[in-house]
């Protein structure tokens, strides 16, 4: 009997904590920005630890892994779209080029610098959801 393997392009469900972890990993080695967001979120040490564990649980990012890329892109698109819908930034903010490169990481770092409360609002909605 032939066995079929189901192949799908669908992403597995990403929890709110995982979304927050993915976004925070986009900040890279910027602990000052992460700490700023933690203060705005008023996270307890236990909540911070849960987020750190969620970030570690993502494992190393592999740009050759299609699932990793799709998962990251889905979270970034939700982040940008939510911010635009809520008036936290504009489509122009999303699309602007930044002096350190036109990478999602650079854009998110700039958004944290420009509007940390807005970024914290999105993270809070994911963590509460």
């Amino acid at each position: 009997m032939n066995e079929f393997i189901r192949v799908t392009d669908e992403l597995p469900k990403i929890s709110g904590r995982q979304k927050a972890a993915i976004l925070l990993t986009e900040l890279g080695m910027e602990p000052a920005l992460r700490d700023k967001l933690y203060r705005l979120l008023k996270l307890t040490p236990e909540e911070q630890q849960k987020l750190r564990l969620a970030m570690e649980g993502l494992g190393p990012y592999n740009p050759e892994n299609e699932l990793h890329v799709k998962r990251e892109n889905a979270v970034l698109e939700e982040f940008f779209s939510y911010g635009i819908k809520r008036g936290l930034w504009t489509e122009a903010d999303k699309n602007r080029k930044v002096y350190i490169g036109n990478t999602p990481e650079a854009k998110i770092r700039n958004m944290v610098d420009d509007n940390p409360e807005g970024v914290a609002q999105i993270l809070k909605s994911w963590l509460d959801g």
Side-chain angles (χ1 to χ4, degrees), residues 46-97:
E46 294 81 22
E47 291 168 324
Q48 290 179 31
Q49 178 66 15
K50 286 180 183 179
L51 256 180
R52 276 193 289 278
L53 290 173
M55 287 188 278
E56 290 171 10
L58 295 172
Y61 178 76
N62 178 357
E64 302 297 319
N65 183 318
E66 190 174 342
L67 177 63
H68 288 186
V69 173
K70 285 182 177 183
R71 181 179 65 187
E72 177 188 41
N73 287 338
V75 170
L76 293 174
E77 187 54 41
E78 183 176 338
F79 169 77
F80 290 124
S81 295
Y82 182 94
I84 291 167
K85 286 179 188 172
R86 297 285 186 219
L88 302 173
W89 42 77
T90 65
E91 189 73 32
D93 293 328
K94 174 186 170 186
N95 294 324
R96 76 178 163 169
K97 295 195 183 301

Side-chain angles (χ1 to χ4, degrees), residues 3-129:
E3 292 187 30
F4 292 97
I5 298 174
R6 184 172 179 229
V7 178
T8 179
D9 285 339
E10 291 181 32
L11 279 173
K13 180 154 174 47
I14 304 170
S15 73
R17 185 173 290 136
Q18 288 172 318
K19 290 176 189 178
I22 290 168
L23 188 72
L24 288 170
T25 59
E26 290 294 324
L27 295 175
M29 301 308 291
E30 297 282 344
L33 292 178
R34 195 174 296 143
D35 289 343
K36 180 189 283 189
L37 290 173
Y38 285 169
R39 282 192 305 278
L40 287 168
L41 290 167
K42 297 178 174 63
L43 294 179
T44 66
E46 294 81 22
E47 291 168 324
Q48 290 179 31
Q49 178 66 15
K50 286 180 183 179
L51 256 180
R52 276 193 289 278
L53 290 173
M55 287 188 278
E56 290 171 10
L58 295 172
Y61 178 76
N62 178 357
E64 302 297 319
N65 183 318
E66 190 174 342
L67 177 63
H68 288 186
V69 173
K70 285 182 177 183
R71 181 179 65 187
E72 177 188 41
N73 287 338
V75 170
L76 293 174
E77 187 54 41
E78 183 176 338
F79 169 77
F80 290 124
S81 295
Y82 182 94
I84 291 167
K85 286 179 188 172
R86 297 285 186 219
L88 302 173
W89 42 77
T90 65
E91 189 73 32
D93 293 328
K94 174 186 170 186
N95 294 324
R96 76 178 163 169
K97 295 195 183 301
V98 291
Y99 65 93
I100 56 175
N102 196 21
T103 64
E105 297 88 353
K107 288 181 183 182
I108 290 170
R109 283 193 294 269
N110 280 349
M111 288 178 168
V112 173
D113 281 338
D114 294 346
N115 188 353
E117 293 84 7
V119 174
Q121 182 181 344
I122 293 172
L123 289 169
K124 181 88 171 130
S125 74
W126 286 341
L127 292 171
D128 290 347

